Amino acid sequence: MIEVRGLGKTYRTHRKAPGLWGSVRGLFRREHVEKHAVVDVSFDVGPGEIVGLVGPNGAGKTTVVKMLAGIVHPTTGHIRVLDHEPWKRDNAFRSRIALVMGQKQQLWWDLPAADSFDLLREIYRIPRERYKATLDELVEALAVGPYLTVPVRRLSLGERMRMELVAALLHRPDVVFLDEPTIGLDLTAQRAIREFLLDYQRRVQPAVILTSHYMEDIERLCPRILILREGRIVFDGPLREIHARYAETKRITAQRSIGAGADPAADLGTWPADLGEVLTCTPDVVTVSVPRARVAQAAQLLLSRLTVIDLAIQEEDIGTVIERIYQGQTGDGA
Amino acid sequence: MRPRLFLAVTAQQVRRSMAYRVDFWISSTAGFVTTFGLAWCVWTAVFASAGSNEIRGWTLDGMLLYMVVVVLLGRVVRGGDIDMTISNEIYQGGLNRYLVFPVSYQPFKYAQAVGTLLPALVQLALFCAIFLLVVGRPADIAITPFGVLGAIAAMAVGHVLYFLLGYPLELVAFWADNVWSLAVTLRFVTTLLGGMMIPLALFPGWAQDVLAFTPFPILYAVPAETLLGRMDPALWARHMVVALVWCVIVQRIGTWVWRRGSLQYSGVGM
């Protein structure tokens, strides 16, 4: 459904020296710099798949999405989406995709969303009956009925984003690009959009590419992720593989019984250096970070030294692991 | 572009134009009153100092009516001042939506430009009516069916041509950080050479001969003079042919610039 091979994008921008003299010089001569936003990116996405595209700011996520949607022309490589080259912008291609950009308004700001939806019906040539059915379904699922006749500029960010989703899905696209759809939203609005996307994907099965800085979006929605760093893909695989490949530690939390000694540090004694480090040590709870290979040994030691009523072994926070990958601190070339 | 879609885009733009009612009336009234007031002062002084009732076939009343008509027709031809929208969409990323929609950008923008006509047409009718009520119809003006229909046709072609002239200039925004000066230059050049500041009959003969082959007279002078019964059908037809040829030329230029420019587009942000 989506096939990307050796994709690259280089932007050429000019640089202006600071100060008045720099401005005067800039009138006659400009220095240009090249920025390689995307370098040799290759991946495939199958029908009905949701893929998360993550990376720090400036990693090239949005540029990849824009190239897939046909907005930006690639410098190198090739892309096939639904058997079309996006850059050619055939109407047959554009009728089957949708793009939602959290930081860019797609709806017309000064009109009620209902007016924009009517125009979209005409743009996508959606039969009236199907349009009405789809609109009713989306409006109900996203609970935006009361806001349809309010000018978009008067809506809150959360309401606006939900309207953007209605607009993007009215024509039932086969491929949906979501570029930071939850950016700036409060937790409730984020959750509502995530739940909607999960439900929609389950029912309609479009291929989805999602970029987000919120790990919860990625964890809840994307079984597979692509991690971009400085324009290159450094990981492409199932989310669960991230821990197996890159997490170095696990966290063991021991809940102590009521009435246990008031000085847990004394009970715990000296924690062996090869079993990681003690993170917290309170009368109720002791938490240690342990190398993945030594979890059983560490758990045994905790049970033997403390009176424990509950023991939890948790993976390292996924966000922390991915952040280490962003920073190239994973030690395996990623 | 499909006629149904064209109409839908136009209807949407009409609604958008009406969304800011106060701004609409203040800007249009202020613009008209200022321009007409200036013309009234200048031409009253010119006729007074010339000591004549007529300058190159124009009386003072005829000249003032020409100014009223040309200012109002000008608003229609310029599409209700939508300049800079295309360049702003390039700078701010609003272009993204049109690149994702299964539509062609240029016809879509033209349909929007047509949508801004309705308010300008309402103003045209309203201010003309006020002028005729206050000043009355000058004796040397004859409004005929050909005059009305010919002016409407010339205005329609002028509207297309003005849009097509501005389009490639705005697309320069793909390369340049600011195209405001180009838009202003287009406005000045068309205002002067299109006959909005003074009737083209007041230009030297050789300049009138050259201007007849440029895209400018159709924008303001031809519709206004046709409406006021000051243009014979043969000359009107020649102006229309010249304008249509220019439409084809600048449309091709616009398509070429779009092809080149959209290769540069970054969609705002990297």
Side-chain angles (χ1 to χ4, degrees):
Chain A
M1 193 157 249
I2 298 177
E3 185 187 304
V4 178
R5 294 289 175 272
L7 186 65
K9 178 68 191 177
T10 302
Y11 291 108
R12 190 163 180 261
T13 53
H14 65 262
R15 194 160 43 191
K16 187 183 87 63
L20 182 62
W21 178 236
S23 301
V24 174
R25 260 181 51 194
L27 286 175
F28 302 98
R29 206 175 134 196
R30 281 191 163 171
E31 257 182 75
H32 287 92
V33 285
E34 289 196 336
K35 175 170 166 54
H36 302 290
V38 175
V39 183
D40 195 23
V41 163
S42 301
F43 62 90
D44 295 285
V45 177
E49 201 177 356
I50 304 192
V51 177
L53 195 55
V54 298
N57 289 330
K61 305 181 296 292
T62 301
T63 299
V64 169
V65 168
K66 284 179 193 163
M67 286 193 282
L68 292 174
I71 291 173
V72 169
H73 186 255
T75 311
T76 57
H78 86 266
I79 311 174
R80 300 283 294 174
V81 179
L82 297 164
D83 288 325
H84 293 271
E85 284 180 57
W87 167 242
K88 290 187 176 167
R89 299 189 193 129
D90 301 330
N91 284 348
F93 162 71
R94 294 190 290 181
S95 301
R96 295 176 62 194
I97 65 156
L99 169 68
V100 175
M101 303 185 92
Q103 306 202 57
K104 285 271 170 296
Q105 188 81 27
Q106 308 285 313
L107 293 168
W108 283 271
W109 183 252
D110 32 26
L111 290 177
D115 283 356
S116 294
F117 298 157
D118 281 346
L119 181 60
L120 289 170
R121 183 182 72 77
E122 206 53 66
I123 287 174
Y124 288 102
R125 307 173 90 152
I126 309 170
R128 201 172 285 274
E129 289 294 305
R130 204 185 93 195
Y131 166 74
K132 194 175 173 331
T134 310
L135 181 62
D136 290 348
E137 177 194 321
L138 291 169
V139 164
E140 192 190 330
L142 284 158
V144 288
Y147 317 117
L148 283 173
T149 51
V150 179
V152 170
R153 67 174 186 276
R154 296 195 187 280
L155 298 177
S156 72
L157 189 58
E159 290 158 357
R160 214 152 60 215
M161 185 45 64
R162 283 184 279 161
M163 290 298 189
E164 292 282 348
L165 282 169
V166 174
L169 302 175
L170 270 176
H171 61 291
R172 293 204 174 263
D174 295 313
V175 176
V176 180
F177 302 107
L178 300 168
D179 187 27
E180 303 189 35
T182 55
I183 194 162
L185 303 185
D186 64 37
L187 293 175
T188 314
Q190 283 181 31
R191 194 176 310 117
I193 285 185
R194 274 197 293 270
E195 295 308 320
F196 166 77
L197 289 173
L198 264 182
D199 178 58
Y200 183 82
Q201 211 280 336
R202 209 165 25 234
R203 285 184 293 110
V204 184
Q205 292 280 297
V208 178
I209 291 196
L210 167 80
T211 79
S212 181
H213 285 294
Y214 299 129
M215 271 311 125
E216 209 176 332
D217 288 351
I218 301 297
E219 281 185 280
R220 290 278 291 134
L221 297 170
C222 308
R224 175 183 161 204
I225 65 168
L226 302 173
I227 300 180
L228 277 174
R229 191 177 70 219
E230 291 169 4
R232 295 173 190 275
I233 289 188
V234 292
F235 177 84
D236 176 0
L239 185 64
R240 61 179 181 278
E241 213 176 89
I242 292 275
H243 278 117
R245 277 175 60 177
Y246 300 111
E248 292 162 357
T249 59
K250 282 193 176 186
R251 179 176 294 202
I252 305 178
T253 305
Q255 184 80 44
R256 302 181 73 210
S257 64
I258 299 162
D263 184 4
D267 294 346
L268 193 59
T270 307
W271 187 257
D274 61 334
L275 292 185
E277 58 175 331
V278 178
L279 299 176
T280 53
C281 187
T282 68
D284 301 327
V285 176
V286 174
T287 309
V288 289
S289 172
V290 182
R292 292 173 71 83
R294 313 295 301 274
V295 170
Q297 245 179 302
Q300 274 177 353
L301 188 63
L302 277 173
L303 290 169
S304 66
R305 290 186 180 176
L306 304 174
T307 312
V308 174
I309 55 167
D310 190 19
L311 193 76
I313 302 173
Q314 293 164 305
E315 288 286 5
E316 199 176 355
D317 173 50
I318 185 83
T320 311
V321 183
I322 289 177
E323 210 176 305
R324 275 213 305 275
I325 299 174
Y326 290 174
Q327 289 159 3
Q329 294 172 352
T330 48
D332 70 342
Chain B
M1 185 184 246
R2 287 173 289 122
R4 273 177 65 98
L5 177 57
F6 192 96
L7 283 176
V9 175
T10 302
Q12 192 212 40
Q13 189 62 30
V14 169
R15 290 196 289 270
R16 291 180 68 198
S17 305
M18 301 294 193
Y20 303 100
R21 285 173 299 176
V22 174
D23 176 69
F24 165 72
W25 284 111
I26 290 177
S27 67
S28 57
T29 308
F32 173 77
V33 169
T34 309
T35 315
F36 180 70
L38 187 68
W40 185 84
C41 294
V42 168
W43 287 113
T44 307
V46 167
F47 272 86
S49 66
S52 165
N53 290 331
E54 199 176 295
I55 299 176
R56 293 214 190 169
W58 290 87
T59 61
L60 177 59
D61 284 349
M63 182 67 78
L64 292 179
L65 183 59
Y66 174 84
M67 293 312 298
V68 170
V69 169
V70 88
V71 168
L72 294 171
L73 288 181
R75 284 189 69 84
V76 177
V77 166
R78 285 199 308 264
D81 293 336
I82 60 156
D83 357 287
M84 305 300 290
T85 55
I86 292 172
S87 51
N88 281 333
E89 280 172 356
I90 294 170
Y91 292 135
Q92 291 164 16
L95 180 61
N96 293 356
R97 91 170 69 140
Y98 301 101
L99 298 180
V100 175
F101 291 158
V103 294
S104 300
Y105 184 65
Q106 191 190 49
F108 199 101
K109 295 314 289 183
Y110 183 66
Q112 286 186 330
V114 172
T116 61
L117 283 183
L118 185 64
L121 287 170
V122 171
Q123 288 167 12
L124 172 68
L126 190 68
F127 287 120
C128 273
I130 291 172
F131 181 89
L132 290 173
L133 279 174
V134 174
V135 179
R137 186 169 67 82
D140 55 340
I141 298 295
I143 294 179
T144 63
F146 165 75
V148 173
L149 296 175
I152 291 172
M155 204 163 58
V157 173
H159 185 263
V160 174
L161 186 52
Y162 191 87
F163 173 82
L164 292 173
L165 283 169
Y167 182 71
L169 295 183
E170 295 234 20
L171 294 184
V172 172
F174 281 124
W175 294 273
D177 290 340
N178 196 333
V179 295
W180 182 79
S181 53
L182 292 176
V184 171
T185 304
L186 177 69
R187 177 74 76 97
F188 277 141
V189 169
T190 53
T191 300
L192 177 65
L193 304 182
M196 189 183 260
M197 282 181 171
I198 51 171
L200 295 184
L202 302 187
F203 279 67
W206 63 266
Q208 290 181 49
D209 292 343
V210 172
L211 280 174
F213 293 97
T214 67
F216 306 118
I218 197 77
L219 302 177
Y220 310 120
V222 175
E225 289 185 26
T226 307
L227 181 67
L228 299 177
R230 300 182 67 100
M231 182 159 298
D232 70 74
L235 187 56
W236 174 87
R238 202 184 75 179
H239 278 301
M240 291 290 276
V241 170
V242 169
L244 289 170
V245 170
W246 273 108
C247 282
V248 173
I249 293 169
V250 287
Q251 200 279 337
R252 295 264 165 95
I253 293 171
T255 305
W256 182 80
V257 177
W258 167 263
R259 280 206 199 111
R260 306 280 301 173
S262 57
L263 291 173
Q264 311 290 320
Y265 185 57
S266 72
V268 180
M270 297 180 186

